[in-house]
Amino acid sequence: MNKVIEADFFPRESELEFSWLGSIATSAVNRKRRILIVDNDRNSTHLVKILLERTCRYLVLEENDPTKAHQSAQNFRPDLILLDIVMPETDGGEVAAQIQGDPELQKTPIIFLTALITKAEAKAGLRIDQHSGGDHRD
């Protein structure tokens, strides 16, 4: 069963505030949205990058070293961050805390990515700092 789910996390043209020339809103609508993918698995980040960029709507940067994720976010200025949770050296919760502690990045939406391993983990849900997973029930 192949299903594609597309979610648009960015404002539509009608939701934008227009400048007196309209140039700010126009450039915001026409520019590709920037997405930073942070995961130590190069194959995963590359696949997601290809799939997102194929839509011609996104510019995607892969970061496979979680210790460099905050710096990459500062340089790239993403509109959205896709962040793996379980990574060596620095996990997703630590990376999220660094990004949220940065005044210039703290409003950047972060979507945590993970593969839950056990039923107990799925039942318990997920808590990372101020973020919590959904309500998981059998």
Side-chain angles (χ1 to χ4, degrees), residues 54-116:
R54 187 177 288 174
T55 68
C56 299
R57 296 171 57 191
Y58 307 107
L59 179 62
V60 180
L61 176 67
E62 301 171 70
E63 180 53 74
N64 300 115
D65 182 347
T67 63
K68 296 179 181 175
H70 182 224
Q71 184 65 47
S72 292
Q74 287 177 322
N75 295 338
F76 187 60
R77 298 287 182 214
D79 296 299
L80 175 71
I81 298 172
L82 300 178
L83 179 58
D84 186 21
I85 295 172
V86 180
M87 297 181 286
E89 298 178 37
T90 304
D91 68 23
E94 293 173 71
V95 173
Q98 292 171 355
I99 290 168
Q100 290 176 336
D102 185 327
E104 294 183 24
L105 297 171
Q106 66 186 3
K107 293 187 179 187
T108 305
I110 298 173
I111 297 177
F112 288 101
L113 305 174
T114 191
L116 295 178

Side-chain angles (χ1 to χ4, degrees), residues 3-131:
K3 288 188 176 181
V4 175
I5 298 174
E6 184 173 330
D8 192 354
F9 299 98
F10 304 110
R12 304 234 181 260
E13 184 174 356
S14 62
E15 298 169 352
L16 296 172
E17 293 181 25
F18 291 89
S19 70
W20 61 279
L21 291 176
S23 61
I24 293 173
T26 301
S27 66
V29 170
N30 292 333
R31 78 174 178 89
K32 289 184 179 182
R33 301 301 180 166
R34 301 164 75 84
I35 299 176
L36 173 62
I37 306 171
V38 182
D39 191 333
N40 61 301
D41 181 349
R42 292 181 189 280
N43 292 330
S44 295
T45 58
H46 193 66
L47 176 62
V48 173
K49 176 185 172 98
I50 289 170
L51 293 172
L52 288 171
E53 288 187 343
R54 187 177 288 174
T55 68
C56 299
R57 296 171 57 191
Y58 307 107
L59 179 62
V60 180
L61 176 67
E62 301 171 70
E63 180 53 74
N64 300 115
D65 182 347
T67 63
K68 296 179 181 175
H70 182 224
Q71 184 65 47
S72 292
Q74 287 177 322
N75 295 338
F76 187 60
R77 298 287 182 214
D79 296 299
L80 175 71
I81 298 172
L82 300 178
L83 179 58
D84 186 21
I85 295 172
V86 180
M87 297 181 286
E89 298 178 37
T90 304
D91 68 23
E94 293 173 71
V95 173
Q98 292 171 355
I99 290 168
Q100 290 176 336
D102 185 327
E104 294 183 24
L105 297 171
Q106 66 186 3
K107 293 187 179 187
T108 305
I110 298 173
I111 297 177
F112 288 101
L113 305 174
T114 191
L116 295 178
I117 299 169
T118 66
K119 283 189 177 187
E121 288 171 327
K123 274 185 169 181
L126 175 64
R127 291 213 172 278
I128 296 179
D129 293 330
Q130 299 169 347
H131 304 279

